Amino acid sequence: MALIPCQVLRVAILLSYLSVLCHYKAIEMPAHQTYGGSWKFLTFIDLVIQAVFFGICVLSDLSCLLTKGSDNQEQERQLKKLISLRDWMMAVLAFPVGVFVVTMFWVLYVYDRELVYPKLLDNFIPPWLNHGMHTTVLPFLLLEMRTTNHQYPSRNTGMATVCGFSICYILWVCWVHHVTGVWVYPLLENIGPLAKIVFFFLVTVIINIYYVLGEKLNSYIWDLDKSMETSEKRIKAD
């Protein structure tokens, strides 16, 4: 895809996330007034991650346009750092956490919505906002992956970072329960201590699987593109 359409797409996605975040924060839900506020929910954390990621994407695009044709080595060095940050965020946070939120939410919602999204929330959160938080994240990420070839870190480094994020969030959820006596998600209220440990372990494993999936999907898309370009060049040469 051309550079300008990619820029427009990223700006539109960024604005949509900012809109969702503003509307979500404006909702007067009891849970927002308790310890941890919105930050105890992985959905909200993911929205912030996606907004920051696409903000960096937009900033990278603007920097590319402003430095295009420039011979300033310092500007090129700063641009490379920004692009590296963009690729790192896509690899270890935006894609694995975003895909996890979408898949986990809808699997549990279909099984028993009361475990993750009680009907009471329908009085506060309109359907469009729910889909903005739990549905559109996935197609936005796939569009971004299709438009840009992101450079992934080494497998060990990437998975270690994903594990670190998962463990930090799990400890945060446990701390909120320690302080308030209430689990962030109703699902955790209905299972025993051993089952909680197994659940947290599976959550960490699943997020790591999504990291590897993102890495392989990114490689597949761009290796396929390179193969098609090579084939087209050979056909033209013949």
Side-chain angles (χ1 to χ4, degrees):
M1 292 187 179
L3 179 61
I4 297 300
C6 291
Q7 289 179 325
V8 173
L9 178 65
R10 285 166 168 167
V11 169
I13 292 174
L14 173 61
L15 291 176
S16 71
Y17 276 123
L18 293 177
S19 175
V20 169
L21 279 168
C22 290
H23 280 86
Y24 180 73
K25 290 297 292 182
I27 296 174
E28 296 183 0
M29 288 197 304
H32 289 179
Q33 310 305 320
T34 57
Y35 183 82
S38 304
W39 290 98
K40 56 181 173 284
F41 300 110
L42 186 58
T43 292
F44 179 77
I45 294 173
D46 177 53
L47 287 174
V48 173
I49 289 173
Q50 302 301 328
V52 171
F53 167 67
F54 280 100
I56 293 173
C57 287
V58 171
L59 185 58
S60 299
D61 287 340
L62 288 174
S63 298
C64 284
L65 289 174
L66 293 174
T67 59
K68 189 175 182 180
S70 173
D71 294 329
N72 190 314
Q73 293 184 351
E74 178 60 23
Q75 288 182 338
E76 289 183 5
R77 189 172 66 85
Q78 294 301 325
L79 178 59
K80 287 180 180 178
K81 285 184 177 181
L82 190 61
I83 291 173
S84 295
L85 176 61
R86 179 201 68 189
D87 292 348
W88 180 85
M89 277 206 69
M90 176 65 171
V92 303
L93 289 176
F95 189 87
V97 177
V99 176
F100 176 83
V101 167
V102 172
T103 55
M104 183 63 75
F105 174 83
W106 287 111
V107 166
L108 291 175
Y109 186 96
V110 171
Y111 176 73
D112 183 357
R113 66 169 295 178
E114 294 299 318
L115 296 175
V116 66
Y117 194 79
K119 290 183 178 180
L120 177 65
L121 293 179
D122 290 341
N123 298 323
F124 300 96
I125 303 176
W128 72 266
L129 186 57
N130 181 29
H131 286 292
M133 296 188 296
H134 297 117
T135 304
T136 58
V137 175
L138 181 55
F140 285 166
L141 286 170
L142 294 177
L143 281 171
E144 170 60 25
M145 186 171 283
R146 182 63 187 86
T147 58
T148 306
N149 184 6
H150 295 276
Q151 300 301 312
Y152 271 63
S154 67
R155 178 74 59 84
N156 289 338
T157 300
M159 294 184 72
T161 306
V162 172
C163 284
F165 173 85
S166 303
I167 292 170
C168 287
Y169 181 69
I170 289 169
L171 292 175
W172 169 232
V173 168
C174 292
W175 176 254
V176 171
H177 174 260
H178 173 74
V179 173
T180 64
V182 178
W183 287 103
V184 174
Y185 302 103
L187 168 67
L188 297 173
E189 299 281 2
N190 302 323
I191 58 178
L194 181 59
K196 286 184 178 68
I197 293 173
V198 173
F199 176 76
F200 289 144
F201 174 76
L202 289 176
V203 163
T204 304
V205 170
I206 292 171
I207 294 182
N208 275 274
I209 289 173
Y210 285 143
Y211 168 80
V212 176
L213 175 64
E215 180 187 56
K216 290 187 175 297
L217 184 59
N218 185 74
S219 296
Y220 173 79
I221 290 172
W222 292 98
D223 286 347
L224 183 63
D225 272 9
K226 289 177 182 178
S227 298
M228 291 176 66
E229 287 178 4
T230 302
S231 298
E232 288 176 359
K233 288 179 180 179
R234 287 178 180 174
I235 291 171
K236 289 179 180 180
D238 294 339

